[in-house]
Amino acid sequence: MREGTGRPVFSGVAIGRAYVYRHQQAELPGSCGDAAAEQKKFDEARETARAQLTELFEKTKREIGEEQAMILDVQMMMLDDLDYLEGVQDMIAGGASAAQAAHETGDAFSAAFAAMDDAYMQARSVDVKDMATRLVNILCGGKTGFSMEEPGILVAEDLTPSETVQLPKDKILAFVTRQGSSNSHTAILARIMNIPSLVQAQITLDDELDGKMMIVDGFEGRYYIEPDEATQAAMEKKRDEAQAYRQQLEAYRGKPTVSKSGRKLKLFANIGNPDDVKYVLEGDAEGVGLLRSEFLYLGRDNFPTEEELFEAYRKVVEGLQGRPVVIRTLDIGADKQVDYFGLEHEENPALGYRGIRICLTREDIFRPQLRAIYRASAFGPVCIMFPMIISVDEVRRIKAFCETIKAELAAEGVAFGEVELGIMIETPAAAVLSRELAKEVQFFSVGTNDLTQYTLAIDRQNAKLDEFYDPHHPAVLALLRMIAENAHAEGIWCGICGELGADLSLTETFLEMGYDELSVSPGRVLELRKKVCESEV
């Protein structure tokens, strides 16, 4: 028996045969004397790649959701990157073949992205390499795709975005990759598919591994190859217990979320786009506590119109069948960049021009979004939440603008409903000023991810700082208590929409602090409800 470790990205136990996934390596032709002919080949390959990616985009959107499909849209935009195209053209003019130029220019650009300090730009390194590899395969007749004869565990060096969306998802029991991170495409897909998976695994990808029996323990972050009888029996028992636990959670479907002492809590879900509403209903969430509006702006080459935004919001509101939705206004910036916004490069984008700072200085962006949200409120209960607040003045400016929007719609005879206004508390400034801010709004929702990184002065995207990043830090917990107390002192409700909301070790702490609502991934709702119902707090 061989065993090793990796970073778990989704819990559970998977048992099956290993399938080693290897990238197809095309045979690269060297130099070529006819530059015009090679340039023509490259241009034709680009159009073929664009058609392939468009087809994959639609397939991914149908099967997984629009948010995940956007990774392919990014690659389609990269096919038109002028710097990349000029680099290829220069190499071909110098005598290189089209495939060689596409490959080497892609490698150079990928390395340049990987060397950047910004985590978002580093992540684009994989997209560039994936796009270039596709072009090379088209030019050289290389094969793409992967098949599995029976359900099993996929083991790979890493998986590119387009590879993950083409995989036979109905047969994959788990992922194990040597590279990747908790925010990689592989990790995101694993969480969507609810399968145990490991990234950054200490494993050797040799041919002998292919077909061998393998076990992945997503609880402990371990894998076993050709397990002995004792390990096999122990892991089968652990897997059966995990499945039985999930079945037990069904007993809490439809139940009120109330502790034994009578403390009532609302359990909402975080989503990224209208297609995710089905997961809200499947997870038995009581509403949506965070709709991330920025995903309606990603993967495009121009701003969505008011009508497009309205249709997306209306689809969510109607799909929730009377459940409330809290829509966060645009939070572009930091780790979410969009070229057509024309934002300048920043040395520290997490502390830069992002969130409400863009909206308050770009009425052309803010106005259509607010009009669309208010229009959607005519179809069901809607709240609006504003991100990255640091002052009372900002909130008053926002409220005044909302009144202007409402007056416009009323004058036009456009229907809209009653909309609660709230703010995200994710900066230490907002936490400290929470008593004053509570006088201006109707609710708070704490973004614990950013609140933690700003309080501890630690970049949460930097893996080197994982040992220092502590969301349970006494300073963070002290701010969380202060926020809830100040909200209630002014008679407004207060929730948590960050990752910490799903931390079962803190559920009773949040109950004791007095939080009214927790908004988490849809798949965590029943587990959290069980924890609350069993609590003595």
Side-chain angles (χ1 to χ4, degrees), residues 357-406:
R357 298 164 189 176
I358 293 177
C359 289
L360 284 177
T361 54
R362 292 284 303 272
E363 187 177 316
D364 60 313
I365 295 175
F366 205 21
R367 179 181 296 278
Q369 183 174 31
L370 284 181
R371 283 179 58 93
I373 294 173
Y374 271 104
R375 288 172 61 192
S377 71
F379 297 86
V382 170
C383 305
I384 308 178
M385 179 164 66
F386 304 95
M388 287 300 292
I389 297 297
I390 62 170
S391 72
V392 172
D393 178 65
E394 286 174 336
V395 177
R396 289 175 178 166
R397 290 172 62 190
I398 291 166
K399 289 167 65 178
F401 194 56
C402 286
E403 289 301 316
T404 300
I405 296 298
K406 288 162 64 177

Side-chain angles (χ1 to χ4, degrees), residues 2 4-5 18 155-157 176-178 200-206 209 214 223 225:
R2 283 188 288 161
T5 61
V155 186
E157 181 70 25
V176 177
T177 62
R178 280 170 46 85
Q200 298 177 22
Q202 306 300 310
I203 189 170
T204 302
L205 299 180
D206 52 46
L209 173 60
M214 187 173 183
Y223 67 83
I225 300 169

Side-chain angles (χ1 to χ4, degrees), residues 433-444 480-494 513-516:
L433 293 176
S434 53
R435 182 68 184 264
E436 295 305 309
L437 290 168
K439 297 173 182 177
E440 302 291 335
V441 295
Q442 291 158 293
F443 69 93
F444 287 161
L480 286 169
R481 182 179 296 278
M482 177 197 302
I483 293 162
E485 289 175 351
N486 286 338
H488 293 148
E490 296 299 330
I492 68 171
W493 65 268
C494 187
M513 287 179 178
Y515 276 90
D516 305 289

Side-chain angles (χ1 to χ4, degrees), residues 448-465:
T448 54
N449 301 347
D450 272 336
L451 182 63
T452 301
Q453 83 164 340
Y454 293 140
T455 301
L456 303 183
I458 289 177
D459 180 1
R460 61 188 172 96
Q461 303 280 352
N462 190 337
K464 294 178 182 178
L465 300 176

Side-chain angles (χ1 to χ4, degrees), residues 218-281:
F219 293 105
E220 303 296 330
R222 302 195 66 82
Y223 67 83
Y224 304 89
I225 300 169
E226 294 190 303
D228 54 38
E229 289 185 10
T231 301
Q232 178 93 13
M235 288 295 106
E236 286 178 353
K237 181 181 179 183
K238 194 171 186 177
R239 178 192 60 187
D240 293 344
E241 288 174 347
Q243 291 174 345
Y245 175 69
R246 295 302 305 177
Q247 192 60 40
Q248 290 170 10
L249 293 179
E250 287 299 313
Y252 291 88
R253 184 175 295 277
K255 273 194 170 186
T257 309
V258 183
S259 71
K260 290 183 177 180
S261 68
R263 279 281 298 126
K264 190 171 183 180
L265 195 69
K266 292 179 181 177
L267 291 185
F268 287 1
N270 299 335
I271 64 173
N273 62 68
D275 295 329
D276 292 341
V277 169
K278 62 184 177 184
Y279 300 118
V280 177
L281 304 182

